[in-house]
Amino acid sequence: KDTILKIKNNDIAKGNVLTVAKIAGIQAAKQTPTLIPLCHNIALSQVDVQFDVKETEIVCTAEARAVDVTGVEMEALTAVSMALLTIYDMCKAVDKSMEIQGVTLLKKVKEDI
């Protein structure tokens, strides 16, 4: 709870945690093929990272879109993973008990053009 309050009050020494984490997630999605071997290089048309700040946890979701022959689930999962790792990195000095849990694909939609 204390760490969440510090994040909400922008009281973390490294800066605005959620803004930095959002940028990290978006950048990571764009770099997915360089991070994950054999992952296709996809021209993303949209990446968004959102946070739902609850009393004792932060839920992160990412949405990635592209017009391509393959899906963008790896980009969305990479965005969430990096956003959460960024939160961890920025808050580790004040909270050694943080955990990253449940990174999972919620939905994949493929539409014919």
Side-chain angles (χ1 to χ4, degrees):
K1 288 183 180 181
D2 293 338
T3 305
I4 297 289
L5 190 58
K6 287 179 187 288
I7 291 170
K8 284 182 178 179
N9 292 333
N10 200 22
D11 198 24
I12 298 292
K14 287 189 171 186
N16 187 310
V17 173
L18 298 181
T19 298
V20 174
K22 180 174 184 145
I23 293 167
I26 293 168
Q27 285 181 327
K30 293 178 177 186
Q31 294 299 317
T32 300
T34 62
L35 298 169
I36 300 174
L38 307 178
C39 195
H40 291 95
N41 189 2
I42 298 171
L44 296 169
S45 57
Q46 178 187 355
V47 178
D48 189 27
V49 177
Q50 296 292 321
F51 302 100
D52 182 9
V53 181
K54 301 181 184 252
E55 188 177 346
T56 60
E57 67 182 0
I58 298 173
V59 177
C60 177
T61 56
E63 181 176 345
R65 293 178 180 253
V67 178
D68 213 319
V69 296
T70 186
V72 291
E73 66 272 19
M74 294 310 299
E75 286 72 9
L77 290 165
T78 300
V80 167
S81 298
M82 191 56 65
L84 293 173
L85 286 168
T86 299
I87 292 171
Y88 189 97
D89 177 60
M90 293 183 74
C91 298
K92 66 186 178 204
V94 298
D95 188 347
K96 304 287 191 234
S97 66
M98 292 179 292
E99 293 181 9
I100 296 173
Q101 299 178 355
V103 177
T104 185
L105 182 65
L106 298 176
K107 181 170 75 170
K108 178 180 176 178
V109 177
K110 183 170 181 163
E111 299 173 359
D112 292 330
I113 308 176

